[in-house]
Amino acid sequence: MKMNMKMKMKKLLVFISALAMSIMLLAGVCSAAASQGSNGKDKVAILLMGSNDFKSTQYFTMIENHFLKNNPHASQIVLGADIQSKYQEYWLDKGFLEEQQPTKDDLLAMPEYLGVDKVLVLIVKDPVVEKHFAFTLMESGEKSRASIQINAFLIDKEKILKSKVSNNEDDSFSSDLRAKRGAFKKCMKELSAEMLPLF
């Protein structure tokens, strides 16, 4: 009788241990899933650095059009005012009123600071605008040519996963601004093709 009792107790202990292990394993899986989206994709922030001229709604719309439009995982990508404000807070926490030139350590700190798995950092260099006389079948006059360079870095919580430099230019008879937008749009097309598969 005592032997039967001992055997039953042993079986019960084994069952409880197995149940506890299963619960712990399930909790780990749930925790990993929580840090990602419900579809298992990483949450990615797109952070724009550079002149305030490039932080207007029009430029963010161009980023959205290339990184979010027709993307089934668009809900896992965050960008815009909230992310930019959080980046400003990062420098305020460090004692600076303005954004500083980021170091590699600053970039690697971004995923955790912004509360995401990965960050795509887009550093827009000051554009170069040149004027020249040109004519086409439709119009002639002074034409603006804008050249833009964007240094892109895709970062997770441990390392820089990929870097890419995009240089593009565009022309406009009407304004410098339109030429800059055209060059920026070309950069977004190039960078989204390279970076999106790694999101």
Side-chain angles (χ1 to χ4, degrees), residues 27-90:
V29 170
C30 290
S31 174
S35 72
Q36 298 179 326
S38 57
N39 55 12
K41 292 291 286 182
D42 289 335
K43 191 170 185 183
V44 183
I46 298 178
L47 178 62
L48 195 58
M49 297 183 189
S51 164
N52 284 332
D53 293 346
F54 292 98
K55 293 175 186 173
S56 68
T57 306
Q58 291 163 332
Y59 287 100
F60 280 110
T61 299
M62 278 187 260
I63 297 172
E64 287 175 7
N65 286 342
H66 286 88
F67 284 89
L68 275 67
K69 201 172 181 181
N70 301 322
N71 181 351
H73 307 299
S75 62
Q76 293 306 112
I77 301 171
V78 289
L79 72 153
D82 288 346
I83 291 296
Q84 297 300 136
S85 297
K86 203 128 177 33
Y87 179 61
Q88 216 166 9
E89 285 171 22
Y90 174 82

Side-chain angles (χ1 to χ4, degrees), residues 1-2 4 16-17 36 43 66 92 102 116 119 123 126 131 145 158 176 178 193:
M1 190 76 164
K2 282 183 181 177
N4 277 344
I16 290 170
S17 297
Q36 298 179 326
K43 191 170 185 183
H66 286 88
L92 284 171
V116 294
V119 177
I123 303 175
D126 289 335
K131 304 276 191 183
R145 171 168 290 170
E158 296 176 353
D176 295 355
R178 184 164 289 192

Side-chain angles (χ1 to χ4, degrees), residues 8-38:
K8 282 181 183 175
M9 285 297 286
K10 264 187 185 177
K11 282 181 182 176
L12 186 62
L13 284 170
V14 168
F15 174 75
I16 290 170
S17 297
L19 187 64
M21 287 292 284
S22 299
I23 290 168
M24 285 170 65
L25 185 64
L26 186 62
V29 170
C30 290
S31 174
S35 72
Q36 298 179 326
S38 57

Side-chain angles (χ1 to χ4, degrees), residues 50-184:
S51 164
N52 284 332
D53 293 346
F54 292 98
K55 293 175 186 173
S56 68
T57 306
Q58 291 163 332
Y59 287 100
F60 280 110
T61 299
M62 278 187 260
I63 297 172
E64 287 175 7
N65 286 342
H66 286 88
F67 284 89
L68 275 67
K69 201 172 181 181
N70 301 322
N71 181 351
H73 307 299
S75 62
Q76 293 306 112
I77 301 171
V78 289
L79 72 153
D82 288 346
I83 291 296
Q84 297 300 136
S85 297
K86 203 128 177 33
Y87 179 61
Q88 216 166 9
E89 285 171 22
Y90 174 82
W91 290 111
L92 284 171
D93 289 347
K94 284 182 165 283
F96 298 99
L97 295 177
E98 299 289 334
E99 290 178 17
Q100 303 297 302
Q101 185 69 34
T103 64
K104 184 180 177 182
D105 287 340
D106 291 319
L107 295 184
L108 290 174
M110 282 302 104
E112 189 169 347
Y113 194 85
L114 298 175
V116 294
D117 300 294
K118 294 174 185 171
V119 177
L120 176 63
V121 178
L122 303 173
I123 303 175
V124 187
K125 300 294 184 182
D126 289 335
V128 175
V129 179
E130 297 172 341
K131 304 276 191 183
H132 62 281
F133 186 83
F135 63 91
T136 66
L137 292 172
M138 302 296 291
E139 57 189 328
S140 65
E142 191 176 61
K143 199 174 190 181
S144 299
R145 171 168 290 170
S147 300
I148 288 181
Q149 177 181 315
I150 299 178
N151 297 341
F153 301 92
L154 183 62
I155 300 149
D156 67 9
K157 293 176 181 177
E158 296 176 353
K159 60 186 179 295
I160 294 174
L161 300 169
K162 186 174 178 65
S163 62
K164 167 81 178 169
V165 177
S166 178
N167 282 295
N168 278 284
E169 56 186 36
D170 200 42
D171 298 329
S172 173
F173 277 110
S174 58
S175 70
D176 295 355
L177 186 58
R178 184 164 289 192
K180 288 179 193 175
R181 285 182 197 150
F184 187 89

